[in-house]
Amino acid sequence: RGLGDVYKRQRLTVRDVAKKGGVLVGFHEKASSYVCDMHACPILTQNVSDMIDPLRELISVLDMRQRMPQIEVAVGGDGRTALVFRHLDPVSPEDMEKLLAFGRAHGADIWLQPKGPETAHAVNPEDEKKLGLELTEFGVRIAFKPTDFTQVNHALNETMVGRAVRLLGLEPDHKVADFFCGLGNFTLPLAPCSPRVLRDPKAWSPALVKGQLKTDWLRKQPSVRGIFLRGANRTGKSSGRPWAASTAC
């Protein structure tokens, strides 16, 4: 496994296929809607790869096994793992206990997603903010939900961000605008390098709220004198917007 070999964000398809001997958990076959009969996967983190067979066994005994189309997998920088079970029917108390027992046995936080990504939630509320993406060069930790957009390979992401910041060669008098900043993968490392940073998440995105929370972290950094958070419609006109003026940020 090299730097680019391990993916910490993946979506596993679930199928209950009698002709294949039961439940399948994994990826689609090439150019096909069929799911591979897989028992391990070298591009996943080792702990998630080791869960594939146990997941197959777990789902095979769930009442909702035919109403669970996918499992979202996310692994944090410290190895913490979350499994988001997409379910089309309400989860029975018996199924819930089996899911939680699986989480305890395999060191995974159990999340449920009854509808769209915005409905994903940890069964144990204290697990909601446990996942984090580390950028050790800058002393930054970015908290995220397993359904949030993050780079799938954290090691490559850290290398990419570090190189990008160094190539920018920011000076104290520079102003930075980070458009479509999402969770702040570049904004947070850039902030200590430049006294004024403008970050522009999509106005309708939950990332906007999360960005406001992260400004509290930025204000605690002695080298950061100001950060501005703006939301805008990417399909609309930018003329007249405060962030469009060179003196506004």
Side-chain angles (χ1 to χ4, degrees):
R1 295 172 187 247
L3 188 63
D5 296 336
V6 178
Y7 290 78
K8 297 195 174 187
R9 277 287 310 280
Q10 284 295 337
R11 179 177 297 164
L12 303 176
T13 299
V14 177
R15 293 284 188 276
D16 185 12
V17 186
K19 292 182 179 180
K20 291 281 189 178
V23 172
L24 301 177
V25 176
F27 302 114
H28 289 280
E29 296 177 359
K30 185 177 181 179
S32 170
S33 62
Y34 294 109
V35 179
C36 294
D37 186 0
M38 54 189 281
H39 302 274
C41 180
I43 67 167
L44 296 174
T45 58
Q46 188 62 56
N47 69 318
V48 175
S49 177
D50 291 343
M51 286 185 204
I52 291 178
D53 275 343
L55 278 169
R56 293 173 64 161
E57 294 171 7
L58 166 70
I59 296 168
S60 69
V61 297
L62 296 180
D63 296 333
M64 60 176 178
R65 60 183 175 276
Q66 293 186 334
R67 302 289 289 167
M68 181 183 290
Q70 67 189 41
I71 302 170
E72 201 88 37
V73 178
V75 180
D78 59 358
R80 192 178 189 94
T81 301
L83 302 175
V84 185
F85 292 85
R86 174 74 173 97
H87 57 99
L88 305 179
D89 291 336
V91 181
S92 69
E94 294 78 14
D95 281 357
M96 181 70 77
E97 181 51 42
K98 291 172 184 175
L99 289 170
L100 290 174
F102 181 92
R104 290 191 294 268
H106 296 274
D109 299 335
I110 302 300
W111 290 57
L112 298 176
Q113 183 185 328
K115 294 183 179 180
E118 70 282 357
T119 67
H121 62 280
V123 175
N124 295 316
E126 63 269 20
D127 294 335
E128 286 278 347
K129 298 180 181 180
K130 294 293 181 65
L131 284 177
L133 175 66
E134 307 288 342
L135 295 171
T136 54
E137 179 179 346
F138 304 96
V140 170
R141 181 183 185 274
I142 302 174
F144 67 92
K145 292 177 64 175
T147 51
D148 285 336
F149 173 79
T150 62
Q151 296 295 326
V152 298
N153 187 307
H154 292 184
L156 280 179
N157 180 66
E158 187 161 7
T159 300
M160 173 186 69
V161 171
R163 185 170 187 182
V165 172
R166 287 190 294 273
L167 287 173
L168 281 173
L170 293 178
E171 298 293 339
D173 60 333
H174 287 172
K175 300 173 184 178
V176 180
D178 185 7
F179 293 95
F180 307 102
C181 63
L183 297 175
N185 192 42
F186 283 96
T187 314
L188 297 177
L190 284 169
C193 304
S194 178
R196 297 176 73 82
V197 176
L198 172 86
R199 56 188 308 230
D200 175 45
K202 301 174 188 176
W204 47 264
S205 170
L208 178 61
V209 176
K210 294 177 182 178
Q212 291 171 321
L213 294 175
K214 287 183 175 56
T215 60
D216 293 335
W217 176 89
L218 288 166
R219 292 189 187 103
K220 295 176 182 177
Q221 307 308 305
S223 59
V224 180
R225 296 203 302 270
I227 180 168
F228 298 84
L229 180 69
R230 298 287 185 268
N233 183 348
R234 63 178 176 176
T235 62
K237 293 182 179 180
S238 61
S239 58
R241 300 277 185 178
W243 52 262
S246 60
T247 58
C249 62

